[in-house]
Amino acid sequence: MENVLFITFGGSAIVHFVITIVMALFARHRVQYLSLAWVNGIFFCTALIASLFCHDIATAQPGILHPGMLLALLAASFLQSIYPLGIPMPGFLQWERMWLYARPILLLLVIYGVATLLGSHIVYVYSVRELAENILSGDILMRLCILGLSVYYIVNIFILPRRLARHAPVPHYLLAYSFLLGLSVVFYTYVAIFYDLYLLAVYAVLFTMLNLYLMLRALETLALQLPRPVICEQTEDPANVQGDTLQEDFNEANLYRFQRINYWMQTHRQEWKDSTFGRDRLCQEVGYNRHLVLQSVRSQGFNNVHDYINSFRVAELKRMVMRGEVKNLKDTLDAGFGTTKTVRACFLMVEGITLDEYLASHKL
């Protein structure tokens, strides 16, 4: 079990170190990533220290409601309730809010520290019966206070993101992440109360995977904000100029195929304005298989064939708006989209602004 814990905590430390570095780089450009950086840095340090004491953790017999486990739960629930949505972060900008939010923790720690200095001893309990017998002891009462405060922060993990969403746009994946994060802390609460090594390792893996997922979604958000590839006007069919032969150079061959695909798309507008037009029909029309078409469009910066086709549809939609052909939202479907939901998603991805904002700027 010691080796399992070492691998689990060591792997978690490595993953959180990578997340910390990536988020710190992001934070140089967007301050909202600062909380992700330094909180994940704390998780990295915690996992690293835990990996160094795997033998002690594997052989420990802390019993029920051990103060060490409860203090770890309190710290974890506090940190996770203020992140990932920046509540009330970044700390160096909002020290007053941070102080007010952390004050109950500091008060409990002071009381616990003073009691320890005055000679209070840890009461070890290993069964519910022993817990009931010692329930009125000062040490057990203090632990129950720590547990109650942890529950308060856990509840905030669930409700604070939704409160913020009422006043600011919050991506759905962040709300889902916060909900799953809250469930993971509830799971850890059980582990903290009834110490179990296997469940502790499971929690470490789940928690690490959740934070890794958040980092990948943040990277995806950044990627969507990168400049989109520009489709150049193809005035001649490359087949008439160069002949339909592949070049020996790999990049030249991809460029040649892309120019042929591009020329067909520009000269067959009515084809792709049909909402049923997709990758398979494009492959059939241009005479290339899926692999070659995908390889060609990716060589020019597009994510996939659907992204490439939708770029034409978005451009057509903008032309329709400029010509005054779009009178209501349903008219946007004439550009080749299947549903208004698809129109909104594609327009935001290609143009970087919402369809409603674009239409409002043109006084639809």
Side-chain angles (χ1 to χ4, degrees):
M1 189 60 196
E2 181 179 343
N3 293 333
V4 173
L5 289 176
F6 179 77
I7 294 173
T8 301
F9 290 136
S12 178
I14 293 173
V15 171
H16 281 98
F17 177 74
V18 173
I19 296 174
T20 301
I21 297 301
V22 173
M23 293 298 104
L25 291 174
F26 281 14
R28 296 182 61 185
H29 305 282
R30 295 204 173 187
V31 74
Q32 72 229 44
Y33 295 116
L34 184 61
S35 62
L36 295 174
W38 75 265
V39 173
N40 274 286
I42 294 175
F43 294 147
F44 156 67
C45 295
T46 303
L48 181 62
I49 294 172
S51 67
L52 300 177
F53 293 92
C54 288
H55 175 73
D56 297 326
I57 296 174
T59 57
Q61 297 291 332
I64 299 175
L65 288 176
H66 189 275
M69 293 295 296
L70 290 178
L71 290 174
L73 170 65
L74 182 59
S77 58
F78 170 77
L79 290 172
Q80 293 175 62
S81 68
I82 60 177
Y83 122 108
L85 300 177
I87 309 168
M89 308 292 283
F92 77 93
L93 294 178
Q94 303 186 46
W95 277 112
E96 183 177 358
R97 294 181 64 188
M98 285 290 293
W99 167 258
L100 292 175
Y101 195 55
R103 193 161 52 184
I105 295 180
L106 300 176
L107 179 61
L108 268 179
L109 292 178
V110 169
I111 295 176
Y112 206 91
V114 171
T116 302
L117 292 175
L118 293 178
S120 176
H121 299 287
I122 295 178
V123 178
Y124 289 92
V125 291
Y126 296 96
S127 66
V128 176
R129 181 178 179 181
E130 291 179 358
L131 177 62
E133 292 174 352
N134 296 275
I135 195 69
L136 296 180
S137 65
D139 186 42
I140 298 298
L141 289 175
M142 186 59 63
R143 296 186 211 176
L144 293 177
C145 290
I146 295 176
L147 180 61
L149 185 57
S150 299
V151 171
Y152 163 72
Y153 288 122
I154 292 172
V155 171
N156 281 342
I157 294 177
F158 289 102
I159 66 174
L160 287 180
R162 281 152 184 80
R163 286 183 180 177
L164 181 65
R166 298 174 187 172
H167 307 285
V170 177
H172 292 296
Y173 77 85
L174 273 181
L175 296 177
Y177 167 82
S178 301
F179 178 76
L180 294 176
L181 191 68
L183 292 181
S184 71
V185 183
V186 171
F187 176 72
Y188 180 60
T189 302
Y190 176 85
V191 178
I193 296 175
F194 304 99
Y195 185 72
D196 188 293
L197 281 177
Y198 292 99
L199 294 182
L200 181 62
V202 170
Y203 167 75
V205 172
L206 292 176
F207 178 67
T208 302
M209 291 177 62
L210 277 174
N211 288 331
L212 183 61
Y213 165 77
L214 183 63
M215 185 196 73
L216 295 177
R217 288 305 301 259
L219 286 173
E220 181 185 24
T221 302
L222 180 67
L224 293 177
Q225 297 172 353
L226 295 175
R228 305 289 299 180
V230 178
I231 299 178
C232 300
E233 188 73 21
Q234 191 74 36
T235 57
E236 287 187 273
D237 185 354
N240 297 332
V241 178
Q242 304 177 40
D244 192 7
T245 58
L246 294 180
Q247 307 298 312
E248 293 183 1
D249 184 85
F250 178 78
N251 294 325
E252 286 293 331
N254 277 328
L255 178 60
Y256 170 65
R257 284 190 289 263
F258 178 78
Q259 289 174 342
R260 289 201 61 197
I261 296 170
N262 211 36
Y263 180 78
W264 187 93
M265 289 290 291
Q266 291 175 359
T267 55
H268 295 78
R269 182 173 300 176
Q270 293 303 318
E271 294 286 340
W272 49 260
K273 287 180 70 174
D274 178 1
S275 61
T276 62
F277 182 88
R279 177 191 58 192
D280 293 336
R281 281 182 58 185
L282 177 61
C283 294
Q284 181 180 356
E285 294 292 346
V286 298
Y288 297 132
N289 60 39
R290 293 183 181 182
H291 173 72
L292 289 179
V293 172
L294 178 61
Q295 182 176 283
S296 301
V297 298
R298 279 186 171 174
S299 71
Q300 303 304 309
F302 294 94
N303 294 325
N304 50 56
V305 180
H306 300 293
D307 187 24
Y308 171 71
I309 295 173
N310 287 331
S311 296
F312 277 87
R313 289 169 172 164
V314 169
E316 176 65 15
L317 175 58
K318 292 172 64 178
R319 287 192 291 267
M320 291 169 58
V321 172
M322 296 302 295
R323 295 194 298 262
E325 297 176 5
V326 179
K327 303 301 182 182
N328 53 61
L329 195 57
K330 289 185 177 180
D331 290 339
T332 61
L333 301 180
D334 294 337
F337 297 100
T339 64
T340 55
K341 182 179 180 181
T342 305
V343 177
R344 293 178 186 275
C346 294
F347 196 90
L348 177 61
M349 181 178 295
V350 174
E351 296 297 320
I353 62 172
T354 65
L355 176 61
D356 295 326
E357 290 174 341
Y358 181 81
L359 296 178
S361 66
H362 290 77
K363 299 179 180 180
L364 178 61

